[in-house]
Amino acid sequence: MPRVLIVDDAAFMRMMLKDILVKNGYEVIGEAPNGLKAVEMYKQEKPDVVTMDITMPEMDGIQAVKEIRAFDPNAKIIMCSAMGQQAMVMEAIKSGAKDFIVKPFQPERVLEALKKVLG
């Protein structure tokens, strides 16, 4: 069962993603409200995959991707973005994110991204 870390500053977004993941056989091993906490939790838990929001307080998703990838070059990270954040998504991909999903989340797309990234 793949282990997932969900990172988003909005609790309801984390809850929606967690619901999709748990119903489809993924184990959510943690939730972080910002990039700072995400980096800390990644180092402790070493999840199989991370879903990472872009715009968050304290440390944004792009900086968190860079820090997680510096710690673990093989980290599998999927960015979560609102419509109209293409430039930020491209920067995140350049920083090492593997894929992205757009809010509001569509379960099929979330699962497709996870399958693709987990290989």
Side-chain angles (χ1 to χ4, degrees), residues 5-18:
L5 171 61
I6 297 174
V7 186
D8 199 307
D9 57 332
F12 75 96
M13 284 294 179
R14 294 196 308 267
M15 193 177 74
M16 281 173 59
L17 254 182
K18 185 175 184 174

Side-chain angles (χ1 to χ4, degrees), residues 1-4 17-28 48 111 114-115 118:
M1 182 185 305
R3 301 164 69 251
V4 185
L17 254 182
K18 185 175 184 174
D19 188 54
I20 293 168
L21 297 175
V22 170
K23 280 183 179 156
N24 288 279
Y26 291 87
E27 180 188 359
V28 175
D48 298 311
L111 298 170
L114 283 160
K115 282 192 186 96
L118 290 166

